[in-house]
Amino acid sequence: MFKRTLVASALALAATAALLPAQAQTSEKPPLKIVVGFPPGGSADLLARLLAEGLKNDFSSVIVENKPGAGGRIALGHVKRAPADGQTVVLLPSGPMVLFPHVYKKLDYDAVTDFTPISLLAHFQFSVVAGPSAGVKNVAEMLAKAAPGKSTYGTPGQGTLPHFMGVMFGQKAGAELTHVPFQGGGPANTALLGGHIDYKFDVVTETAELHRAGKVRIIAVTGAQRDPQVPEVPTLKEQGVDMEATAWFAMYGPAGLKPEVRDMLSAAVAKAVRTPALKTRLLEQGYEPVGSTPAELAAAQKTDLQRWAGPIKATGIQLD
């Protein structure tokens, strides 16, 4: 009897010991906070929440924190000041990292040296959206009605990619449109529906549902190909405007992330965006999933920083 008790105790201890590494490993999973510089409901917020779902098994917790305003600069400032421990990252469109350095006279961050590239998440394109007050069905009608100083277009913020999409469109199409910035795509949609602005430039996702419901009309997309969300909508080039423009979403951490932490985050993100379920969701939302290495993100940023320098300088736009 005594021997059997000893054997049972030994087996129990062995089983407990076998469980300890797994428990320790579970407890060692770090939390992750994904900071988004735009309000809830917008495209960046939607992508962050889809990604958070895909990352939940790799971290003890994954939360999305919205810090809207200033076209994403508030969120970038927050992450710049965060500890370099891999637990706080920012998810953002490419504009703040490739446009803002050319647009703003003074930035409270350096887009290259103040952040650690983690991963490209997805490529996407933009749309030209006509609101109820515009009363147009295509680009030709838009240009025929465009009146200098009267036709307005809204965007998620001053100095954002959609802002310069509108500027570039005006240059290419010979139209003079007045820019009206908002703090995110959601508020811009509200203004569009209310007739306070005539048009809106933004990612397709922001207004695809409103378009399908007949509340607004997407009259063009800016990529080389039609967008699968709205396949009936022609590109700008199909409508005679020689313009093509796309952008990307990416994840960055603060400067000084240890290579092993950076690479762990990058691998987790790449794995998440390539899983069939998340990949399908991203494609449905008009995003082309990527999931890159940190080096590939750094190279994409460098290329686009150079690409946008000339066009922005040509506009003469400099913001405080």
Side-chain angles (χ1 to χ4, degrees), residues 73 76-77 80-81 106-110 114:
R73 285 176 289 154
L76 279 168
K80 172 188 170 182
R81 296 186 294 271
K106 292 182 180 179
L107 280 177
D108 59 359
Y109 65 87
D110 185 294
D114 285 338

Side-chain angles (χ1 to χ4, degrees), residues 39-128:
S43 55
D45 178 72
L46 172 64
L47 180 55
R49 294 181 190 280
L50 287 174
L51 184 61
E53 180 68 18
L55 291 172
K56 65 182 181 181
N57 292 329
D58 294 295
F59 299 89
S60 61
S61 65
V62 184
I63 64 169
V64 176
E65 183 174 312
N66 298 90
K67 289 190 172 294
R73 285 176 289 154
I74 291 174
L76 279 168
H78 176 79
V79 173
K80 172 188 170 182
R81 296 186 294 271
D85 56 11
Q87 296 182 22
T88 303
V89 298
V90 64
L91 185 154
L92 75 169
S94 51
M97 307 306 277
V98 302
L99 291 185
F100 288 8
H102 303 304
V103 172
Y104 288 93
K105 296 176 184 176
K106 292 182 180 179
L107 280 177
D108 59 359
Y109 65 87
D110 185 294
V112 175
T113 62
D114 285 338
F115 301 96
T116 301
I118 294 172
S119 180
L120 275 169
L121 303 174
H123 293 292
F124 61 96
Q125 60 176 311
F126 297 83
S127 61
V128 184

Side-chain angles (χ1 to χ4, degrees), residues 5-265:
T5 303
L6 283 177
V7 170
S9 299
L11 289 172
L13 286 171
T16 301
L19 288 172
L20 285 176
Q23 291 171 341
Q25 187 178 17
T26 300
S27 65
E28 288 171 4
K29 284 184 179 180
L32 182 66
K33 179 169 68 176
I34 303 174
V35 182
V36 176
F38 301 91
S43 55
D45 178 72
L46 172 64
L47 180 55
R49 294 181 190 280
L50 287 174
L51 184 61
E53 180 68 18
L55 291 172
K56 65 182 181 181
N57 292 329
D58 294 295
F59 299 89
S60 61
S61 65
V62 184
I63 64 169
V64 176
E65 183 174 312
N66 298 90
K67 289 190 172 294
R73 285 176 289 154
I74 291 174
L76 279 168
H78 176 79
V79 173
K80 172 188 170 182
R81 296 186 294 271
D85 56 11
Q87 296 182 22
T88 303
V89 298
V90 64
L91 185 154
L92 75 169
S94 51
M97 307 306 277
V98 302
L99 291 185
F100 288 8
H102 303 304
V103 172
Y104 288 93
K105 296 176 184 176
K106 292 182 180 179
L107 280 177
D108 59 359
Y109 65 87
D110 185 294
V112 175
T113 62
D114 285 338
F115 301 96
T116 301
I118 294 172
S119 180
L120 275 169
L121 303 174
H123 293 292
F124 61 96
Q125 60 176 311
F126 297 83
S127 61
V128 184
V129 190
S133 65
V136 303
K137 297 179 181 178
N138 52 50
V139 171
E141 292 182 7
M142 175 188 184
L143 297 178
K145 283 192 170 188
K150 294 183 179 180
S151 297
T152 57
Y153 75 97
T155 69
Q158 183 90 318
T160 59
L161 274 165
H163 175 190
F164 285 102
M165 293 291 170
V167 171
M168 186 182 292
F169 172 82
Q171 293 173 339
K172 298 289 186 179
E176 189 174 329
L177 306 174
T178 300
H179 178 228
V180 182
F182 293 88
Q183 284 196 346
N189 278 343
T190 300
L192 188 70
L193 289 167
H196 303 296
I197 53 176
D198 302 311
Y199 304 99
K200 181 189 172 204
F201 283 76
D202 210 342
V203 295
V204 180
T205 307
E206 289 280 3
T207 43
E209 287 296 331
L210 293 173
H211 169 81
R212 286 190 282 267
K215 296 180 179 180
V216 301
R217 184 186 292 271
I218 297 177
I219 60 174
V221 292
T222 65
Q225 307 292 332
R226 295 191 181 197
D227 192 287
Q229 297 176 94
V230 287
E232 73 282 3
V233 177
T235 66
L236 285 172
K237 283 196 170 183
E238 287 181 84
Q239 299 183 73
V241 179
D242 187 19
M243 174 178 163
E244 180 185 318
T246 59
W248 38 263
F249 276 107
M251 179 183 285
Y252 290 81
L257 282 188
K258 292 181 179 179
E260 59 269 25
V261 174
R262 177 201 64 194
D263 293 345
M264 178 274 292
L265 287 166

